[in-house]
Amino acid sequence: MPGALQSRPVAIVGGGVAGLTAALALRLRGAEVTVLERAPAITEVGAGLQLSPNAMRVLDALGLGPALDAVSLPSLAVRLRDASGAEVVRLDLARHRPGARFRLIHRARLIEVLEQAALSAGVRIDLGQAVETPPEAPLLIGADGLHSRIRTALNGREVPFFTGQTAWRAVISDNDQTPEAQVFMGPNRHLVSYPLGQGQRNIVAVLETRDWQDEGWSRPDDPANLRAAFAGFGGPVPGWLAQVDQVHVWGLFRHQIAARWQDGRMAIGGDAAHPTLPFMAQGACMAIEDAWTLAACLDATPDQETALSRYQNLRKPRAARIVAAANDNARNYHLTGPKRLAAHAALRLGGRIAPGTILSRFDWIYDFDPVAETP
């Protein structure tokens, strides 16, 4: 039986992960969806993503599993190391969470899969549409990222604050495609790396600094600055950084969760609603969860204001908890002195005695099933 979204017109501002996932989820429930994208083409700055089971349940339910498996790698473990390269603990995802779908993927590959699926389903994508003020649409979804015009329309202007952390992001060529993420933890800095398939490796490196950087991923930097900041790191890190010939840098800013996600006509999702620091690898995953829940709520009742209110009530508490967890990890990765030594010793002991317990701290993130919660 057709739901409440059948033939309903929906406009979405933004053609990134949040916007395209929402477009597909809404279209598959019968909505007539138009995506308004500022760029002249659907492209993405080179970067990697970790997709955890909570997001994969949505992507599988949208029929994207086979296409994503073809352009991604399974993530079988997370290996925590100190700055020298010595292992602190290895979290074996394959052993302790058998069957769970953790995937490593280039963001551009995810965008390509989402775009093709959306177009094939009948979504209209209008490129070169710079939306400065909210269009007059009966249902308008803001998936327009950190500097969302739709969020501003709902909440007014807000001022984030600089965390004192700068991040570099790069992709290099690498034949070592061992399917695991590695985190190198040093005083006041850390580096995360994982393979992306197709001979590529993702690198994200975060440094505590007083030097302010622009927010956003598009500012290029000299790779020598990245190499200088992590010159004391060991293991494979020097070899990886030697290969970096293009790198982007951005300042990490902390934003509040949007107080208001909807007004009965407009709604926001993804970074427009809950920008997060990149320390739980959940930014894209939350956007994917949002998309499913938004479509399910709108399809369940013809009263749009009731549906959008339910969407906000379901999503806001979870998003706030994940953002808080990411903030905590920002501190844990950068410990110094005795605190750092004690924390690493505790992780080593936990890894020997009860490695599954370390992973279980985040069961509430990975075991969540948006599809079952909002069918």
Side-chain angles (χ1 to χ4, degrees):
M1 181 177 179
L5 274 172
Q6 194 68 34
S7 301
R8 193 189 307 187
V10 183
I12 297 176
V13 181
V17 172
L20 291 174
T21 309
L24 180 60
L26 289 161
R27 177 61 191 146
L28 291 179
R29 291 177 180 267
E32 298 295 334
V33 183
T34 300
V35 174
L36 306 174
E37 167 55 38
R38 176 185 298 267
I42 299 288
T43 58
E44 186 60 59
V45 173
L49 287 174
Q50 300 180 65
L51 295 174
S52 49
N54 45 308
M56 288 303 302
R57 292 182 184 100
V58 171
L59 296 172
D60 287 341
L62 294 174
L64 303 180
L68 288 173
D69 287 351
V71 294
S72 67
L73 293 175
S75 181
L76 302 183
V78 178
R79 192 183 298 267
L80 302 180
R81 300 175 179 242
D82 66 22
S84 72
E87 184 172 304
V88 176
V89 65
R90 183 177 184 272
L91 307 177
D92 191 332
L93 300 175
R95 177 183 175 189
H96 296 290
R97 302 186 68 90
R101 282 173 56 70
F102 291 87
R103 306 294 299 186
L104 306 171
I105 189 170
H106 197 296
R107 184 183 291 264
R109 303 292 87 74
L110 174 59
I111 292 288
E112 289 168 0
V113 169
L114 287 168
E115 180 189 17
Q116 185 55 54
L119 290 171
S120 296
V123 171
R124 176 179 173 180
I125 300 177
D126 288 348
L127 301 171
Q129 303 296 312
V131 176
E132 301 300 331
T133 58
E136 288 300 323
L139 177 55
L140 179 65
I141 309 302
D144 45 344
L146 281 172
H147 307 293
S148 169
R149 304 289 185 175
I150 313 305
R151 173 174 174 145
T152 299
L154 289 170
N155 293 275
R157 295 199 175 275
E158 302 161 296
V159 180
F161 70 89
F162 181 50
T163 63
Q165 296 172 326
T166 292
W168 289 271
R169 186 184 291 266
V171 174
I172 62 171
S173 298
D174 188 12
N175 291 328
D176 181 3
Q177 295 290 295
T178 304
E180 63 181 25
Q182 299 185 63
V183 183
F184 296 80
M185 303 173 292
N188 301 316
R189 70 203 68 201
H190 81 280
L191 183 146
V192 179
S193 183
Y194 47 86
L196 298 172
Q198 302 178 359
Q200 294 182 310
R201 172 170 292 277
N202 190 64
I203 296 172
V204 178
V206 179
L207 171 70
E208 293 186 17
T209 175
R210 296 186 179 185
D211 293 337
W212 181 88
Q213 300 287 350
D214 292 335
E215 188 174 26
W217 296 354
S218 60
R219 178 179 169 181
D221 193 29
D222 186 340
N225 293 330
L226 168 60
R227 285 190 276 269
F230 289 83
F233 277 48
V237 172
W240 291 340
L241 298 187
Q243 295 186 57
V244 174
D245 56 10
Q246 290 185 331
V247 66
H248 289 80
V249 63
W250 78 103
L252 299 183
F253 286 72
R254 189 174 293 177
H255 298 250
Q256 297 298 319
I257 298 287
R260 191 182 188 199
W261 289 35
Q262 59 84 33
D263 67 355
R265 182 181 79 87
M266 299 185 293
I268 51 177
D271 283 348
H274 44 69
T276 183
L277 297 178
F279 302 131
M280 281 301 304
Q282 287 295 306
C285 294
M286 284 194 289
I288 291 166
E289 290 183 10
D290 289 346
W292 180 275
T293 303
L294 176 63
C297 288
L298 286 164
D299 203 34
T301 175
D303 186 278
Q304 185 168 294
E305 187 171 353
T306 298
L308 293 180
S309 179
R310 180 183 177 223
Y311 160 69
Q312 175 174 321
N313 291 338
L314 285 173
R315 293 299 305 154
K316 190 176 178 181
R318 175 168 168 81
R321 189 179 178 192
I322 291 175
V323 169
N327 293 342
D328 289 342
N329 263 7
R331 293 188 292 270
N332 295 337
Y333 285 159
H334 294 183
L335 295 174
T336 61
K339 288 185 178 179
R340 175 170 168 263
L341 295 175
H344 288 194
L347 283 171
R348 287 188 176 96
L349 180 62
R352 288 195 299 270
I353 296 174
T357 302
I358 299 175
L359 279 172
S360 68
R361 290 176 51 213
F362 300 115
D363 283 352
W364 62 273
I365 294 180
Y366 304 137
D367 288 349
F368 179 70
D369 187 348
V371 178
E373 291 283 332
T374 47

